[in-house]
Amino acid sequence: MNRTEIKYLHLLLLGIFLALNSANRLELKNITGVGIKAEKSDDLRILAVMVQFEEDSLSYTTGNGKFNMEYPDTMLIDPIPHNKEYFEDQLQFVKNYFEAESKNKVTFSDIKVLDTVISLSHPIWYYNPNNGEEVLAERLDSLYAQSWSQVAQDTTVSFAGYNTFVIFHAGSGQEFNPGYDETPFDIPSVFLSEKDLESVKITAHDGTAIDNSVILPECEWQIFEDNWYYAGMSGISCLMFAHRLGIPNMYSSVSGQSCIGKFGLMDQGSANFSGLLPAGVTAWVKELKGWNDVSEITIPMKRVLSAADSVVYKIDLNSDEYLLLENITAKNPSLNENNSIKGYDRNGDSLRFYYDEDGFQKVEVLSSEFKTLVRVEDNDFNFGVPARGMLIWHIDKTKTSAYNI
């Protein structure tokens, strides 16, 4: 099978390890041009299915293969029940994130989660037997094919109206473990591209090719030494959808080595505030995708005025290297005056992101009725980066390669 290897990036976050898995199959191309005007746009129309597995009692997976099973009813982050409304809310966060970061160059004109829960005939561990990357790739393809084949002939669904397909499966994602991986057979989150699915592609009743699939878990909770630990779904969901949009990793897909740390979604920034508040995309991504105006500075200037979240400035150093300058200060600093911002669910109930006196990132749920995070105050996704101000990126085109920069 011609596919990119699935690699693991291990992150240390507040004493918790996250491993962000991605099957990114995107060819990175050099960026050229001056005075780039943001024009490109993408419209995602999402169709999602809920998939559960044969019930089992294996201790090396989280849950028993069915939705909502074995998770505590005291969960405050991504709480049960994990049902259609819950997954719609997870996708709503992704929508709000990319529409804000792209300045509406990316839109989500339709989000539909099918009512029916699909049941597969294998347990969770079958799809990640922990037996090497080749076997894992084959089993993830099987998960895709077995899931979509059960709904592809449903004539009540107009597949032609959708171009992005999502599988939400029962259980936790393999990308999260609280220090020691007690559940190595959990399924990793992944984006499967058209190229990955060449040999197993499912065609729906109306002739629509289901030629891609984002695979995500019901939540990122894990149990370790009889205690439950959480990570939010927001970061890993945005990371997978970024691959759907053609954005490459910004960590090494070969070694897992971090390149830009917490300063961007495509590296450790996807895990800011325990994965609930992913960092924004970088100036380089905005240039790559045409999401932001880029103004080239070609003559010496004493002063350049830059408002928050406005024009990105470019300075060529030579034929291969250049700088990108972006202002990532808060658009509304008064919202950060207490060193905190709020996030909201669909009903307006809130939680608070803040830094404690030692500088650690913390999350406080402010309402017992809080459900699932769908939006962040002032779309301030960079609240979790290590520092605010003028961020200067050094781009070296000779050091970029396929799938990562």
Side-chain angles (χ1 to χ4, degrees), residues 33-71:
V34 298
I36 300 172
K37 185 75 173 177
E39 294 178 347
K40 300 177 183 178
S41 64
D42 291 285
D43 179 46
L44 299 188
R45 303 179 302 279
I46 301 169
L47 180 66
V49 292
M50 298 176 286
V51 174
Q52 62 185 6
F53 308 98
E54 180 183 64
E55 188 171 336
D56 73 84
S57 58
L58 184 69
S59 63
Y60 296 122
T61 61
T62 306
N64 66 359
K66 305 300 183 183
F67 281 110
N68 304 307
M69 298 305 295
E70 300 185 7
Y71 291 106

Side-chain angles (χ1 to χ4, degrees), residues 64-206:
N64 66 359
K66 305 300 183 183
F67 281 110
N68 304 307
M69 298 305 295
E70 300 185 7
Y71 291 106
D73 59 9
T74 55
M75 294 168 67
L76 296 178
I77 303 298
D78 292 340
I80 55 176
H82 298 148
N83 53 19
K84 177 180 178 178
E85 179 182 287
Y86 165 81
F87 292 119
E88 289 172 341
D89 287 348
Q90 296 290 356
L91 293 171
Q92 185 65 41
F93 181 93
V94 176
K95 167 186 165 71
N96 291 339
Y97 176 91
F98 281 106
E99 290 184 348
E101 286 296 291
S102 71
K103 294 181 170 60
N104 292 312
K105 298 299 187 301
V106 174
T107 55
F108 288 65
S109 61
D110 197 2
I111 295 175
K112 181 178 180 62
V113 179
L114 296 179
D115 296 315
T116 304
V117 177
I118 296 170
S119 295
L120 303 185
S121 59
H122 298 291
I124 293 176
W125 61 263
Y126 174 84
Y127 298 97
N128 181 18
N130 212 16
N131 193 28
E133 291 181 2
E134 185 174 349
V135 173
L136 173 59
E138 292 175 353
R139 296 296 173 85
L140 290 174
D141 284 350
S142 295
L143 174 57
Y144 151 85
Q146 293 167 12
S147 299
W148 288 111
S149 63
Q150 290 198 39
V151 298
Q153 303 311 312
D154 184 349
T155 56
T156 66
V157 180
S158 177
F159 287 84
Y162 302 98
N163 61 11
T164 302
F165 304 94
V166 181
I167 295 171
F168 286 111
H169 65 79
S172 298
Q174 199 274 337
E175 52 273 1
F176 172 57
N177 68 78
Y180 173 76
D181 193 357
E182 292 188 347
T183 55
F185 297 120
D186 284 340
I187 299 170
S189 297
V190 69
F191 168 65
L192 300 177
S193 69
E194 182 176 8
K195 182 178 180 180
D196 299 318
L197 300 173
E198 286 176 337
S199 63
V200 294
K201 184 168 60 180
I202 300 296
T203 300
H205 67 88
D206 57 5

Side-chain angles (χ1 to χ4, degrees), residues 249-278:
N249 292 326
M250 292 191 182
Y251 62 88
S252 172
S253 296
V254 177
S255 66
Q257 180 179 355
S258 174
C259 294
I260 65 169
K262 293 185 176 183
F263 281 98
L265 171 69
M266 305 311 293
D267 196 348
Q268 296 177 354
S270 56
N272 289 352
F273 282 97
S274 300
L276 274 170
L277 183 59

Side-chain angles (χ1 to χ4, degrees), residues 20 114 118 129 182 265 284 305 308 363 390:
L20 301 183
L114 296 179
I118 296 170
E182 292 188 347
L265 171 69
W284 183 84
L305 297 178
V363 180
M390 184 62 73

